[in-house]
Amino acid sequence: MNKKVILLKRPKGIPQEDDFAIIEEPIKANFNDGEVLVKVKWISIDAAQRVWIAGSRSYIDPVSIGSVVKGLGVGQVIISKTPLLKRGNYVAGFLHCQEFCKINASELWKLPSYENPQLYLGVLGITGLSAFFAIEELAKPNRRDTIVISTAAGATGSIACQLAKLRGAKVIGIAGSEDKCDYLRNELKIDAAINYKTARSMNSALRELCPDGIDIYLDNVGGEILDAVLLNIKKHGKIIACGAIASYNSKKPKPIYNYPLIIALSLTVEGFIVWDYKNRFQLATRQLSRLVQEKQLIYKEHILEGIKKVPEALRLLMTGENQGKLIVKLQHSDPHL
Amino acid sequence: MNKKVILLKRPKGIPQEDDFAIIEEPIKANFNDGEVLVKVKWISIDAAQRVWIAGSRSYIDPVSIGSVVKGLGVGQVIISKTPLLKRGNYVAGFLHCQEFCKINASELWKLPSYENPQLYLGVLGITGLSAFFAIEELAKPNRRDTIVISTAAGATGSIACQLAKLRGAKVIGIAGSEDKCDYLRNELKIDAAINYKTARSMNSALRELCPDGIDIYLDNVGGEILDAVLLNIKKHGKIIACGAIASYNSKKPKPIYNYPLIIALSLTVEGFIVWDYKNRFQLATRQLSRLVQEKQLIYKEHILEGIKKVPEALRLLMTGENQGKLIVKLQHSDPHL
């Protein structure tokens, strides 16, 4: 039997437990050539999932009511109808929020190392890769640049902060609690952190910390914080639009008012999703993995246990109560599988 | 004596006559080396002036209350304290809304031809140049591209439409009246025109005309039209942010709601002002001038006479009642000057 998290109704605001249901259904026994059955071991909880369950236009089809909540995961192959994967291999991919996933092997990444495979959902997965391409491909800050990073203590932001520091930039992080700001200052050792929940005004906080203006903004939130950054960005500044979490829980996206400054200041806004760089994932993962081994990159994981925790994990991510990469670890009822 | 248009108060909404005053003051007789006195003959009326009189952050300092309304103009040198310019030479530059301008010669462009010098405010001036750099440098549409252009019948939009057609693109223009749409279809011969004032929904109008999606949007307005374009733009589409006239007359800029699509569709938004390309103006003007001579580019002028008409001209531009490049032609009281 397969347990899966299905979407009962589109959440209004922050996702709640009763927007979802856990159902059980038999696993279909017929396998086509190329297919495998994966026992899902870790489910990744990502901000993008909030977009997929909202039903909005995005880069993948939205989750329809009654179907499984989409998501990335890491698991172990238990049945294989392809020579490419063997029983026991660890794989990552869109396994979705369920205990077992029947999937074509071509849609999976075989993991190169079996040590901490759940890292391939975080620092070595799409959040780490998002940070990597945002910083190394798009932002490319140098030691003369001031870069501001929002959701700086999050799974993507925290890696981006460290990569930007490694390039010598002045890094200002924005986060939503004193704990997170302390983490940014004391553990990630960035130049300054702003708690946007207690700052009297984001505009003046930014002006104080970046008196000469902001060169680059790595935007994970959109909304008011973006508007405040626009008031403090330099002529010819760059905005890397990586996420808009401020809008993910509202029916209507949060408005941006200072768009005219994009013209007046000749700014460039580059939107991207990590999948644009799919063919370079392997190379990038190898670089990130090396940095992790050398302890040049540190990371935090926030792990919840059991498939029933998926709705709670989504809620935590959206309220910012998590500390580090949110992952749901599955405990399978049948240990022999 | 010099007559000049000064700003009495910051306009609320569309500029009105009583936001301005025409004052008269003597011309200071002392000239430093390098300075010239220019008799202003044509004053350019541009959307950017609305931003300057609003007092907002922009690429030049705002107009302060009680001082002359900034603006471009073409005039003739009548006193010269520099070997670079002779009495009688035609020049263009920030002469502002006044009859005479004392200015350093280094801030002026000497016009290469004296035939229709007011063209250097329109098709050969900043509106033509904005269109040129937007299309030839940033948008670069080819024959496979669908480009949407807003304020398509305006001084910048109409040149942009024609330049995009010359490159073979499918061009969809957006304008605010049936007359303007007829002009776009019948005289500029673009592929389709949308009257945004009568279209039931910009979203469905765009979807109908661009069933495969929009490749490039040359944005002169911002606001709701930009939001509708975002719903119809292709993955990896490009937005050239050239103006935001929808916001220029409101206290708070018009919000943009569909910002999250910039991420989901990996869009690039490139803001620019024509002055970014200052060192290439001469070359570009030469190209535009050749196209005008070859009748590959047509243009319209809307000329009002007398310095008193400046406030009315600003109002006409903002309500879209003008037909073509708005220029105020000055009639000097002393014909001997």
Side-chain angles (χ1 to χ4, degrees):
Chain A
M1 295 298 282
N2 181 24
K3 275 190 193 152
K4 49 162 114 178
V5 183
I6 63 157
L7 183 66
L8 277 188
K9 53 182 199 286
R10 307 225 175 270
K12 286 182 182 137
I14 303 286
Q16 303 297 331
E17 315 258 330
D18 63 359
D19 295 324
F20 307 93
I22 316 284
I23 63 162
E24 216 168 345
E25 61 176 27
I27 298 162
K28 283 169 202 145
N30 56 319
F31 286 84
N32 295 323
D33 273 1
E35 284 187 334
V36 295
L37 183 68
V38 179
K39 182 165 77 166
V40 183
K41 304 194 109 182
W42 292 273
I43 294 171
S44 181
I45 303 297
D46 295 289
Q49 285 173 298
R50 181 65 187 85
V51 180
W52 307 336
I53 61 178
S56 341
R57 185 180 186 203
S58 179
Y59 57 90
I60 66 168
D61 289 333
V63 175
S64 51
I65 301 294
S67 55
V68 67
V69 174
K70 295 185 183 185
L72 291 159
V74 159
Q76 216 172 355
V77 174
I78 52 175
I79 295 173
S80 175
K81 296 288 178 187
T82 166
L84 300 171
L85 290 172
K86 285 195 185 66
R87 187 184 156 92
N89 282 168
Y90 276 92
V91 289
F94 275 102
L95 302 175
H96 306 316
C97 299
Q98 56 187 351
E99 290 187 335
F100 295 94
C101 181
K102 204 172 99 170
I103 187 170
N104 199 294
S106 63
E107 293 177 48
L108 295 170
W109 288 272
K110 189 176 164 185
L111 298 187
S113 117
Y114 300 153
E115 209 185 318
N116 299 325
Q118 87 287 0
L119 289 190
Y120 289 90
L121 299 178
V123 59
L124 306 181
I126 56 160
T127 50
L129 289 167
S130 292
F132 183 88
F133 292 108
I135 296 296
E136 303 296 332
E137 184 69 22
L138 297 167
K140 293 184 209 139
N142 61 39
R143 48 189 71 247
R144 287 178 308 280
D145 287 331
T146 296
I147 180 169
V148 171
I149 298 176
S150 52
T151 70
T156 296
S158 62
I159 304 301
C161 281
Q162 295 175 82
L163 291 174
K165 275 308 321 162
L166 286 171
R167 294 177 69 102
K170 174 175 165 187
V171 179
I172 314 291
I174 302 173
S177 75
E178 275 317 302
D179 275 0
K180 288 179 182 175
C181 287
D182 286 344
Y183 174 68
L184 290 171
R185 291 184 201 108
N186 305 329
E187 298 189 52
L188 303 191
K189 300 193 191 310
I190 65 171
D191 299 271
I194 304 172
N195 179 347
Y196 74 90
K197 286 188 179 160
T198 58
R200 258 177 316 145
S201 137
M202 278 306 293
N203 180 13
S204 50
L206 288 167
R207 198 172 46 224
E208 230 167 79
L209 290 170
C210 317
D212 301 324
I214 298 163
D215 295 279
I216 306 164
Y217 175 45
L218 174 52
D219 184 15
N220 288 306
V221 298
E224 288 170 34
I225 294 179
L226 174 54
D227 271 332
V229 167
L230 284 168
L231 294 174
N232 290 281
I233 199 163
K234 281 185 194 166
K235 174 84 185 168
H236 294 295
K238 213 191 287 180
I239 294 168
I240 312 301
C242 180
I245 201 167
S247 290
Y248 294 168
N249 294 295
S250 49
K251 206 174 166 193
K252 210 171 176 180
K254 295 278 186 240
I256 311 296
Y257 286 98
N258 290 333
Y259 172 80
L261 288 174
I262 293 177
I263 304 158
L265 302 174
S266 304
L267 308 180
T268 302
V269 184
E270 294 243 37
F272 88 106
I273 55 165
V274 70
W275 308 102
D276 297 340
Y277 298 97
K278 207 171 165 182
N279 57 358
R280 287 157 62 191
F281 276 7
Q282 219 181 353
L283 208 70
T285 306
R286 221 174 292 145
Q287 276 183 258
L288 287 165
S289 175
R290 187 177 50 75
L291 291 169
V292 169
Q293 279 161 31
E294 292 168 355
K295 307 243 187 295
Q296 298 213 58
L297 270 188
I298 61 172
Y299 58 89
K300 258 192 191 169
E301 289 176 340
H302 185 143
I303 296 181
L304 281 76
E305 300 212 350
I307 188 135
K308 286 186 176 152
K309 296 283 189 170
V310 168
E312 183 187 335
L314 280 166
R315 183 176 58 73
L316 287 179
L317 185 66
M318 290 302 151
T319 54
E321 289 168 81
N322 61 310
Q323 295 272 2
K325 170 70 200 174
L326 258 171
I327 291 172
V328 174
K329 187 176 176 186
L330 299 191
Q331 303 146 309
H332 285 265
S333 36
D334 181 352
H336 300 292
L337 266 173
Chain B
M1 296 298 280
N2 181 24
K3 276 190 193 154
K4 47 162 107 175
V5 184
I6 62 157
L7 182 66
L8 276 189
K9 53 184 200 286
R10 307 224 176 269
K12 285 182 181 137
I14 304 286
Q16 302 299 330
E17 314 259 329
D18 64 358
D19 294 325
F20 307 93
I22 315 285
I23 63 161
E24 215 167 346
E25 60 176 28
I27 298 161
K28 282 168 202 147
N30 57 317
F31 286 85
N32 295 323
D33 273 0
E35 284 187 334
V36 295
L37 183 67
V38 179
K39 182 165 76 167
V40 183
K41 304 195 107 181
W42 293 273
I43 294 170
S44 181
I45 303 298
D46 295 290
Q49 286 173 299
R50 182 66 188 85
V51 180
W52 305 337
I53 61 178
S56 340
R57 187 182 185 201
S58 178
Y59 56 91
I60 66 168
D61 288 333
V63 175
S64 50
I65 301 295
S67 56
V68 65
V69 174
K70 294 185 184 185
L72 290 160
V74 159
Q76 216 172 354
V77 174
I78 51 173
I79 296 174
S80 174
K81 296 287 177 187
T82 167
L84 299 171
L85 289 173
K86 286 194 184 68
R87 188 184 156 92
N89 282 168
Y90 277 91
V91 290
F94 276 103
L95 304 176
H96 306 317
C97 299
Q98 56 187 350
E99 289 187 334
F100 295 94
C101 182
K102 203 171 101 172
I103 187 171
N104 199 294
S106 64
E107 293 178 46
L108 296 171
W109 289 272
K110 189 177 164 184
L111 299 187
S113 116
Y114 300 153
E115 210 184 318
N116 298 327
Q118 86 288 0
L119 289 190
Y120 288 90
L121 299 178
V123 59
L124 306 182
I126 57 161
T127 51
L129 289 166
S130 292
F132 183 87
F133 292 108
I135 296 297
E136 303 297 334
E137 184 69 21
L138 298 167
K140 292 184 210 139
N142 62 38
R143 49 190 69 249
R144 290 178 306 280
D145 287 331
T146 296
I147 180 169
V148 172
I149 298 176
S150 51
T151 69
T156 297
S158 62
I159 305 300
C161 282
Q162 295 174 81
L163 292 173
K165 276 305 324 159
L166 287 171
R167 293 176 69 102
K170 176 175 164 187
V171 178
I172 314 291
I174 303 173
S177 76
E178 274 317 302
D179 274 0
K180 288 179 181 175
C181 287
D182 286 344
Y183 173 68
L184 291 170
R185 292 185 200 106
N186 304 330
E187 299 189 51
L188 303 191
K189 300 193 191 308
I190 66 171
D191 298 272
I194 305 172
N195 180 346
Y196 75 89
K197 286 189 179 159
T198 57
R200 258 177 317 145
S201 136
M202 277 306 295
N203 181 13
S204 51
L206 288 166
R207 198 170 48 227
E208 232 166 76
L209 290 170
C210 317
D212 302 324
I214 296 163
D215 295 279
I216 306 164
Y217 176 45
L218 174 52
D219 184 15
N220 288 306
V221 298
E224 288 171 33
I225 295 179
L226 174 55
D227 271 334
V229 167
L230 285 167
L231 294 173
N232 289 281
I233 200 163
K234 281 184 192 166
K235 173 86 185 166
H236 294 294
K238 212 190 290 180
I239 293 169
I240 312 301
C242 181
I245 200 167
S247 291
Y248 293 168
N249 294 296
S250 48
K251 205 172 165 194
K252 212 172 174 179
K254 296 276 185 237
I256 311 295
Y257 287 98
N258 290 333
Y259 172 80
L261 288 173
I262 293 177
I263 304 159
L265 302 173
S266 304
L267 307 181
T268 303
V269 183
E270 293 244 38
F272 88 107
I273 55 164
V274 69
W275 308 102
D276 297 342
Y277 299 98
K278 207 172 163 181
N279 57 358
R280 285 158 63 191
F281 276 8
Q282 221 182 351
L283 208 72
T285 306
R286 221 175 289 147
Q287 275 183 259
L288 288 166
S289 176
R290 187 178 51 74
L291 291 169
V292 169
Q293 278 160 30
E294 291 169 356
K295 308 242 186 294
Q296 298 212 60
L297 271 188
I298 60 171
Y299 60 88
K300 258 193 191 167
E301 290 175 341
H302 185 142
I303 296 180
L304 279 76
E305 302 212 347
I307 188 136
K308 287 188 177 151
K309 295 285 189 168
V310 167
E312 184 188 333
L314 281 166
R315 184 178 57 74
L316 287 178
L317 185 67
M318 290 303 150
T319 54
E321 289 168 80
N322 62 310
Q323 295 274 359
K325 171 68 199 175
L326 258 171
I327 292 172
V328 174
K329 188 176 175 186
L330 299 192
Q331 303 146 310
H332 285 264
S333 35
D334 181 353
H336 300 294
L337 267 171

